[in-house]
Every structure is written in structure tokens, then in C-alpha cells.
Amino acid sequence: MKEDNFKLPKEIRLAKFAGFCYGVKRAVETVKKLKSENPERNICVLGELIHNAQVIEELDALGIESVSVLPDKGEGICVVRSHGESPEVFEQIKNAGFEVYDLTCPDVKKVQQKAVELATAGYYVVIVGKAEHPEVVAIKANALQYSENVIVAATVDELEPYFNDLKSHKNIGVVVQTTQMISTLNEIVQYLTPIAKELRVVNTICQSTAMRQAEAKELAKDSDLMIVVGSKKSANTTHLAEILKEITQTIHIETDVELVEYKDLIEKANKISVTAGASTPQNVIDKVIEKLK
């Protein structure tokens, strides 16, 4: 048989650290329990509980509404999602007449607390992350209660306009969005080191994110194709895909339906590894594996 006509059997591997992290699992299970224990009460979530369309649809079917704008007057329970909110928003929820149920992820709470500590101690606070991400918006809002010297940057270019302020302030403190890449933190720390007289860096990337990224990188080194499953709106999922694209051929899909778009790539690959973001449900991952097989 000619070598060209011989096709090796597909090897399909699923990452151990794929799918719901502790914070997301806790949020989804708690909200469902809240509704089952309070079937007659109005239960809403301010924003999408997690970045996953399938989960949001499931919660909606249970009568748990996602609201993008807080009403002036309301009743029942309003859930603060795992990304957290500013102290001002917590007050707005109470003033509107809702009972607040805080589901801010413990890892996110830790970043908020560290940012507040740095601001209180007189450091110029740099939050490494995407300025528009709800987690980062909440971290910044908490720190701004104690200092006006709080900025957000996801790249060195975004820090450039603050060069003179940072240099004159001398003491700089850094915290990180929980789902950021370690390489992004390293680049910003490298930029700040010669500027600061004192630089205090608190690596607040959550352990789940770090382990997920490290495992996926090892799988990518020995794979012809990496498949990342999860929402395109999810920060940790898009970061995961960005990291892996630098190592091997990588595709980012939300569900198994999209696999048909990459039929040629899949057919050519002998070793395929699958990983998923922290807000991707297990049943979505299972469907991808089933379709690949």
C-alpha cells in the first residue's frame, strides 16, 4: 500500500481542565437552587450570568431572566453574577427594591480587595485587563473609591499615555483580571519596572485559568489540531485560543454545529485535542467529542 493512501486512525483527546470552573459551576447551581426554593418570587440576574448562550437559554426557560438594565422599581431577588459589580450598583439594586444575592466569584473578590489595598496604601494602581470587561469595570470602581490614580491596560501601548503620571508617582501597584494571560502581565511588568521606584505586583490570575492554559499548551505541542469550545464573548476562552494558535493549528467554536466549517482541517489532522473555556457546559463539550468520533 502506498504511504500516501494510508491514513492513521484519529486520536482524539479531551483536556482534563475543560469546562466549568468552580466560580461558574457555583453560580449556575446556586441560581437554579434559588429558583427551585423560591418558585413564586421574581429572580433576575444583572447581565448574563455566564458567557454561554445555551446556559442563558436554559435559565430563561426556568424563569430566571437576564436583565441588561436595572429597572427603577422592582421586586424579588436580583443576582450579582460572578464578574462582580461596583459598590454603586449594589446600592442601586437595593434602592430599586430588590433583595441582593451576591455571586461574585471568590477569585474576583480577591482582585477587588487587592486593588483596594494598593489604592489605600497610596500606590498608582494598574489593572491588567480589558477595560470594557464587566469584571475589570467592577475592580476599577472598587479601587476608585480610595484613589483617583487607577488605570486599566491590556497592552503596553495602552499604558503609554500615562507614562509621565506613572513615573512621577513612583510607587506602582499591579493586579490582573482573573482570566488574563501571564504573557500579558509579564509584558506590562517589564514596561513598568524601569519607571517605578517601587513596583508591587499581585498575580491575581485565578488558578483554574492558569492550569487550563498550561495543560492546553502541553497538549498543543503534540497535536495537529486544537479545538477550543466556548463563547466568543468569553475572555478566558478567547485568550485560550490566542495562546494555542501560537503553538499549533487552532479553531475556536461555540458548538458542535460549527465543526462542519472545518471539515478539511479535521480530516487532515491525526492528533486532535479538545479544550474548553470556564463557561462551557459539559453537554456542549460532549457533543463536540461525539461528532468528532
Side-chain angles (χ1 to χ4, degrees):
M1 185 186 290
K2 286 186 179 179
E3 193 176 335
D4 289 349
N5 296 331
F6 179 73
K7 196 167 178 72
L8 289 167
K10 288 266 193 294
E11 183 185 339
I12 299 164
R13 297 176 293 180
L14 174 62
K16 183 182 173 184
F17 301 110
F20 280 3
C21 66
Y22 158 73
V24 168
K25 187 178 180 183
R26 166 179 168 266
V28 174
E29 288 179 353
T30 304
V31 168
K32 288 180 180 178
K33 189 180 177 188
L34 259 181
K35 187 62 181 175
S36 68
E37 291 175 351
N38 302 273
E40 303 304 318
R41 293 190 75 185
N42 171 47
I43 295 177
C44 65
V45 182
L46 187 54
E48 292 185 343
L49 185 68
I50 66 170
H51 288 143
N52 183 271
Q54 291 78 30
V55 173
I56 299 305
E57 285 170 14
E58 183 188 358
L59 295 178
D60 192 53
L62 292 172
I64 303 163
E65 185 187 5
S66 301
V67 294
S68 54
V69 179
L70 191 70
D72 293 333
K73 292 290 177 187
E75 59 178 7
I77 302 169
C78 183
V79 175
V80 171
R81 57 189 175 167
S82 54
H83 299 104
E85 289 290 354
S86 67
E88 185 184 10
V89 170
F90 273 90
E91 281 304 308
Q92 286 172 358
I93 295 170
K94 289 174 189 172
N95 293 338
F98 290 100
E99 178 187 333
V100 180
Y101 201 100
D102 186 7
L103 277 178
T104 305
C105 174
D107 287 325
V108 174
K109 283 270 193 196
K110 180 184 171 185
V111 193
Q112 292 177 1
Q113 289 161 0
K114 292 297 179 185
V116 165
E117 286 172 19
L118 290 168
T120 307
Y123 287 86
Y124 199 112
V125 181
V126 176
I127 303 164
V128 179
K130 293 184 177 178
E132 69 283 0
H133 192 280
E135 178 191 321
V136 175
V137 171
I139 295 165
K140 185 179 181 183
N142 276 275
L144 280 172
Q145 292 182 102
Y146 303 93
S147 171
E148 59 182 18
N149 296 315
V150 182
I151 59 172
V152 176
T155 64
V156 167
D157 288 344
E158 290 176 11
L159 277 179
E160 289 285 0
Y162 303 98
F163 178 85
N164 290 333
D165 287 347
L166 289 162
K167 193 169 184 180
S168 62
H169 201 83
K170 297 179 182 177
N171 295 346
I172 302 170
V174 179
V175 294
V176 201
Q177 181 183 349
T178 58
T179 53
Q180 269 296 328
M181 297 183 287
I182 192 72
S183 57
T184 303
L185 173 62
N186 289 340
E187 285 169 14
I188 285 177
V189 169
Q190 191 174 9
Y191 173 84
L192 293 172
T193 301
I195 298 173
K197 184 176 181 182
E198 182 187 341
L199 181 63
R200 187 175 170 196
V201 181
V202 187
N203 180 1
T204 48
I205 296 173
C206 83
Q207 189 180 14
S208 172
T209 297
M211 289 162 68
R212 188 186 310 266
Q213 291 177 359
E215 181 198 25
K217 282 161 78 172
E218 286 305 309
L219 283 172
K221 290 173 187 175
D222 189 37
S223 299
D224 304 312
L225 179 66
M226 288 295 299
I227 299 176
V228 179
V229 187
S231 172
K232 305 282 170 65
K233 293 194 291 183
S234 163
N236 76 84
T237 311
T238 52
H239 287 151
L240 196 55
E242 286 167 15
I243 291 167
L244 300 178
K245 279 174 184 174
E246 295 178 4
I247 302 170
T248 191
Q249 184 80 49
T250 302
I251 61 174
H252 179 181
I253 61 171
E254 295 200 349
T255 68
D256 63 294
V257 176
E258 294 171 62
L259 285 173
V260 69
E261 298 171 29
Y262 302 98
K263 189 170 178 283
D264 290 346
L265 276 177
I266 292 165
E267 285 181 350
K268 287 174 186 172
N270 289 313
K271 285 188 176 182
I272 299 172
S273 295
V274 179
T275 186
S279 53
T280 310
Q282 190 60 45
N283 66 322
V284 172
I285 301 167
D286 291 342
K287 284 179 183 176
V288 170
I289 298 292
E290 283 167 23
K291 189 165 276 192
L292 285 171
K293 286 180 177 177

